[in-house]
Every structure is written in structure tokens, then in C-alpha cells.
Amino acid sequence: MNDNRSDNLHCCEYINMNEEKSTIISDLCSCPPFGNCCSNLLKCPPSRDIEINVMVANFQDRFRIPWQGGARRISLDSAVPLLLFPASLYFAAQGFWPTILVFPLVTLFLYYTHRTVRKYRVATKFFYVWTLTSASLVLIVFQFLVVPMLDINTNENIIITVTMVATASCFYFTKKHAIKSHLKYDLEMTNVNTSDENLVLINETENVQCNTCKRDVPSRTYHCFVCKTCVIQQHIHSYWIDCCIGKYNRKSYMAGLLLGSVLFTFLSNLILTTLCHPFNVFATIMLPDDCSDVYYDIMYGICFVSGLYCFAVGVILFLMFINDIYMVSLGMTYHEWQEQCKDFKGDCRWFLSRHVIRNVLPNWRAFFNNV
């Protein structure tokens, strides 16, 4: 072997049997982009030419399952929630301290991930799959663990089932009718880096020009960089149900928030009051009291953390519903609210003005009439 070549090797490199330079990590993977990335990363000093995007794209292209007519590719953002939520639920059910550890970590992870994808306008199915996975798994736990093991009567189960169907229907129609708020033509996302690309298109005239797609659009129209089109009276882009909330699906969205908060709060109350030692608050209304012995069996632990998760989701949905009521009372969408706060330089006391309070009923009338 050439001694000069050996002298030029870095700490994780060696000359293999084929007289080729290699690294320890790259031998474990037959994927060239992954090996190149590891080689560049493990050099001393590490190379800045690390093609992580190429590696991730190559891995995603190889992440497939057998399917009739050809292997189907599974996106990573869709696969992660399918594994992460059940694993988190199972680990949290191991004891008191795992529960204390998992819930804040999962909350922070979801918060910062959601904040990041909103900031960079990333089109992802992660939160949509998380919604479907968590809701389905919690309902499976309730029907197949809580109902058989604990004292859940038929009437309570019927109420849960009816509310679940109503909530799912509301969000289904929200997603189905989202396209009604899209403008008829399809717009491709353009790489606009101007400072006013996020400006809400509010104007007293009948039509204004979108700063992104450079087309005439109705007033109060916002360009969604995820849906790649302009949305009439866009309130938000909801990653959790993977669609925009606009003029023609906002009512069903708010109904889904209200019913969802009722569903998950009631689920939480049923699970926790049957697992823990309950006490009466008023008439037949009970709250959990002593939950110290819920971890002695893993099944009871899973039921308990599912109840805690339902309570957290119910509170979040209710707060979102209250926020939407507030926005409708002002006659605004969330984007318009942000622009108004910018105009008033962070002083949002303008919403207490006589003009705003006087228009609350007309705003709700316009909301129900799709004006």
C-alpha cells in the first residue's frame, strides 16, 4: 500500500481492499449520496460541501412499500406521525415521570415544527397525518380498552359516537369546500422575495392586484404559498386538516372546533373519572380526584395518558373556537387582524372603539350570509 496515500488520510478514512479510499460510516450504506454526506461530515476538519438535501431526497425515493402496479413511495412527513404518536403514548404510559417528560417534549416539538413550517411555508402532510393518527388511536383506545374494562354505559358511548361523527363531518366538509374559496385559475408559486409579499389584500375597491401572482383578484384576498393559489377571505392555512380556511368553509370549520372541543373534553372526563377516584361537583357531574394507582397496569396507563391527551386537545380546540368568535365579531380574518395590529404599531386597543363594537351584529350577519 502506498505510504504517501496513507499519510493523507483523515481520522475516519482508510484504504480498502480495492485500493480505494473509504470511510467507516459509508461502508454501512450502499446509498452513494448518504455515503458522500457521511464522508464529508467525518473529514477532519468537516467539509462544508454536505449535500443533505440530496441525501434526504434519495432516501425518500427509496422509502417504498410493495403495491400492485408498482411500489408506492411513502413520504417521511406522513410516516413519522404514524410511529411517533403511538410510541409517545406507550412511553408516557410507563409511569408518572415518563408522563411528565413526554407531554412537554411532544408539545414543544409540535409547536416549533408548526412554527417552522408556517415561517417557511412548507407544504407538509405531517400535521394532517398526526390529526388522523391521534384521533383514530384515541377513539380505538376508548372503544376497545376503556369501554370493556371500565364502567362506561351505553348512553355515554352513543353520545361519544354521535359527537365523533358530527365532528368528523364538519372537518370533512371544511376540507371538501376549501376549493370554493380558491380563485378559478391555478397559480404556481413564484419565488418572490419582496418585503410586501405577505401583505393582505384589503382594499375598498372591487378588485386589487395580488403582489405574488400579479393578477387582479377580489378584495380581502390572500395568496396562499402552500396551496399555490389566491384564497378569498383566507383566515388561515390549517396544517392540521391540510387546507385553507376561507370564505366558504369557515362556518363548518368553526362548527368542527366547537364539536371537537366538546368531544375530546367529554372523552377526557369519561376516561379520567372512571380510572381515577372521582368526586361529584354538581348533580351527576364528576371530576377525577386520586389518580395515583393508574400506572400499575400498562393498559390502564395507556387509557390514562389518552385521557390527558384528550383534555389537552379539547382545551386547545376551545381556545381556537373562542379566537374565531372574536375574529368574526370584528369582521376580520386572522391575516387582516395582523395587518391592523401592524398599522396601530402593536396597540390593539382599537378593537374596543365604538365603531367596532357597533358593528358586531352586522359582522355576524355578514358571516352567516357569506358576504
Side-chain angles (χ1 to χ4, degrees), residues 138-304:
V138 165
L139 291 172
I140 289 173
V141 168
F142 178 77
Q143 292 295 338
F144 294 96
L145 292 182
V146 176
V147 173
M149 292 193 307
L150 306 174
D151 187 18
I152 305 295
N153 61 49
T154 305
N155 292 334
E156 291 172 335
N157 199 6
I158 291 175
I159 293 174
I160 289 294
T161 304
V162 171
T163 312
M164 175 193 67
V165 172
T167 304
S169 299
C170 287
F171 285 126
Y172 168 77
F173 286 112
T174 299
K175 188 172 176 62
K176 180 180 179 180
H177 295 158
I179 196 171
K180 291 184 178 180
S181 299
H182 295 182
L183 294 186
K184 298 300 182 182
Y185 45 81
D186 294 326
L187 303 174
E188 293 296 328
M189 183 173 64
T190 55
N191 295 322
V192 181
N193 295 319
T194 57
S195 59
D196 60 345
E197 63 179 337
N198 291 325
L199 181 64
V200 179
L201 304 174
I202 306 174
N203 200 301
E204 296 298 329
T205 60
E206 185 174 349
N207 288 299
V208 293
Q209 188 180 67
C210 176
N211 293 319
T212 302
C213 55
K214 306 302 180 184
R215 293 174 182 259
D216 289 336
V217 296
S219 61
R220 304 185 66 192
T221 299
Y222 181 84
H223 187 91
C224 179
F225 288 83
V226 179
C227 297
K228 301 179 182 179
T229 188
C230 290
V231 182
I232 302 173
Q233 294 185 25
Q234 188 206 35
H235 177 48
I236 56 171
H237 178 89
S238 177
Y239 284 96
W240 299 101
I241 55 177
D242 194 33
C243 69
C244 275
I245 310 302
K247 180 178 180 179
Y248 298 104
N249 64 342
R250 194 173 176 184
K251 289 191 289 293
S252 58
Y253 172 72
M254 291 182 63
L257 292 179
L258 177 60
L259 290 173
S261 63
V262 172
L263 170 65
F264 284 100
T265 304
F266 189 40
L267 263 176
S268 173
N269 184 265
L270 283 180
I271 295 173
L272 297 180
T273 53
T274 50
L275 278 173
C276 307
H277 301 287
F279 67 94
N280 288 332
V281 178
F282 176 76
T284 58
I285 299 176
M286 294 186 298
L287 291 178
D289 185 12
D290 182 13
C291 301
S292 58
D293 56 350
V294 295
Y295 295 110
Y296 79 93
D297 185 87
I298 186 62
M299 294 302 177
Y300 283 89
I302 291 176
C303 294
F304 178 70

Side-chain angles (χ1 to χ4, degrees), residues 39-55:
S39 299
N40 292 331
L41 185 63
L42 295 175
K43 284 182 179 179
C44 300
S47 173
R48 295 184 178 181
D49 186 22
I50 302 176
E51 299 179 350
I52 296 180
N53 292 335
V54 177
M55 181 190 70

